[in-house]
Amino acid sequence: MLNNNQCMTAALDIMCVLCSDLQVEAPERVTEGHNVSLTCKSSCTLTDRATFIWYRNSQPLTERRDRNNQLLLQSVRREDAGRYSCALHGHSYISPAAHLSVTYPPSSVSVSISPSVIVEGDSVTLSCSSDPNPPAEISWFKGGTFVGSGRMYSISKISSDHSEEYKCKSINEHGEKYSDAVTLNVMYPPRSVSVSISPSVIVEGDSVTLSCSSDSNPPALNFSWFKGGMIVGSGRIYNISKISSDHSGEYKCRSINEHGQKDSAAVTLNVMCEFFY
Ligand SMILES: *[C@@H]1O[C@H](CO)[C@@H](O)[C@H](O)[C@H]1NC(C)=O
Ligand SMILES: *[C@@H]1O[C@H](CO)[C@@H](O)[C@H](O)[C@H]1NC(C)=O
Ligand SMILES: *[C@@H]1O[C@H](CO)[C@@H](O)[C@H](O)[C@H]1NC(C)=O
């Protein structure tokens, strides 16, 4: 190896032909928006005319003007992070790289949900993604209440009670940010299926409406009507115009969505003869 004493201090541009002790001095980290200066240190004797070349991630920084042996980065951006090295113009030796890390608060925070279609009873995982440097601590909120921490939040055997808003908070030393709230849309088959009859007192010749109601997600669009065991109609509303005693009997409805089906309890239709009325 050559040492500095072997550097030649000729009075020309090439002061230090064999100089191989360049070193970048830089802080390890700088906060976004701040100014930072990097210095290319050398123990060689250099003239005023010596110019430096800077590299980031091995790419020469053509757009930046250096002042003496310093590289000034003003109002640092995230893209300025990288491995910096320097060289003397006209010389092939390149200094070892110094890593400059740019720190910043979380700027985009978002929640992703898996699986994308959630059916009651499923296990569901929420993931919080955010990008700050240094990495964030994540906490989770359901409604406004803290429910857990860590990048992932899992719910086993989800029920429709979980159809509430969740959000995550990303925080590091530079700031904090909440994600938008996400609502878990928990699907479930029909339940609480019931039939209502109108009017409540039915006389022969009346028009009678049977309505089926049920609670499901998504709402049931497919309904079937049964009298005895026989299917007699479809649709949420079953109308009987000009009812007669032949229509007396036990009715029930079946509510169907893509996650299942359920029958109502049977309701009895009693048709009064006009005679008794
Ligand atoms: C960065 O340098 C510029 C130009 O010298 C100056 O105007 C600005 O205030 C500096 N910013 C900070 C955060 O020091
Ligand atoms: C309603 O459900 C029945 C039974 O699953 C099915 O046969 C029928 O095609 C469905 N009708 C509609 C309109 O989806
Ligand atoms: C059932 O009857 C009611 C009242 O007469 C009427 O408003 C409704 O449109 C009817 N529905 C069907 C599906 O026929």
Side-chain angles (χ1 to χ4, degrees):
M1 269 323 259
L2 300 159
N3 64 43
N4 298 326
N5 297 333
Q6 292 173 282
C7 287
M8 290 186 278
T9 51
L12 295 168
D13 257 5
I14 305 158
M15 270 61 47
C16 193
V17 177
L18 302 168
C19 185
S20 61
D21 73 337
L22 297 176
Q23 204 152 17
V24 174
E25 273 190 4
E28 265 175 44
R29 47 180 54 198
V30 57
T31 302
E32 190 177 42
H34 288 204
N35 298 338
V36 67
S37 91
L38 285 66
T39 307
C40 190
K41 284 267 181 168
S42 171
S43 57
C44 299
T45 310
L46 304 168
T47 66
D48 291 347
R49 278 195 278 173
T51 55
F52 290 83
I53 303 164
W54 286 90
Y55 299 88
R56 180 175 61 231
N57 301 329
S58 306
Q59 299 299 311
L61 296 176
T62 48
E63 80 278 18
R64 296 187 195 274
R65 287 292 98 222
D66 42 358
R67 197 180 66 187
N68 302 327
N69 58 341
Q70 288 199 320
L71 176 66
L72 293 167
L73 300 177
Q74 284 189 1
S75 191
V76 165
R77 299 162 305 153
R78 288 163 206 206
E79 306 84 82
D80 292 327
R83 295 160 50 76
Y84 284 85
S85 43
C86 60
L88 273 169
H89 190 77
H91 296 246
S92 58
Y93 178 77
I94 297 177
S95 76
H99 190 267
L100 180 70
S101 173
V102 177
T103 62
Y104 46 88
S107 58
S108 73
V109 182
S110 64
V111 174
S112 59
I113 306 169
S114 163
S116 50
V117 174
I118 303 167
V119 181
E120 203 165 45
D122 282 353
S123 290
V124 175
T125 301
L126 306 179
S127 313
C128 187
S129 20
S130 69
D131 59 341
N133 187 23
E137 304 221 350
I138 305 291
S139 29
W140 289 93
F141 298 85
K142 177 187 180 185
T145 311
F146 171 83
V147 290
S149 51
R151 208 175 72 75
M152 311 272 228
Y153 179 67
S154 291
I155 305 161
S156 57
K157 283 195 171 274
I158 199 159
S159 78
S160 50
D161 301 343
H162 289 97
S163 294
E164 231 189 301
E165 285 191 341
Y166 286 83
K167 59 188 169 186
C168 65
K169 182 176 81 172
S170 172
I171 182 166
N172 76 359
E173 67 212 49
H174 297 297
E176 66 175 48
K177 194 168 163 94
Y178 283 87
S179 69
D180 285 340
V182 296
T183 301
L184 301 186
N185 188 13
V186 182
M187 306 288 180
Y188 52 92
R191 57 194 182 198
S192 348
V193 182
S194 65
V195 174
S196 60
I197 304 172
S198 136
S200 50
V201 175
I202 300 163
V203 178
E204 223 170 13
D206 279 354
S207 282
V208 174
T209 299
L210 282 71
S211 321
C212 190
S213 64
S214 70
D215 170 26
S216 68
N217 188 17
L221 297 173
N222 188 343
F223 296 89
S224 304
W225 289 92
F226 296 86
K227 182 190 175 199
M230 303 293 290
I231 187 156
V232 292
S234 63
R236 202 179 71 77
I237 307 287
Y238 179 54
N239 278 343
I240 305 168
S241 56
K242 289 196 176 270
I243 202 164
S244 74
S245 55
D246 291 349
H247 290 106
S248 292
E250 288 205 322
Y251 288 79
K252 59 183 178 183
C253 74
R254 175 174 295 165
S255 169
I256 304 169
N257 77 359
E258 57 258 50
H259 302 293
Q261 63 178 53
K262 192 169 160 99
D263 289 357
S264 69
V267 294
T268 303
L269 207 60
N270 275 317
V271 182
M272 308 275 214
C273 296
E274 220 165 350
F275 174 76
F276 291 117
Y277 187 55

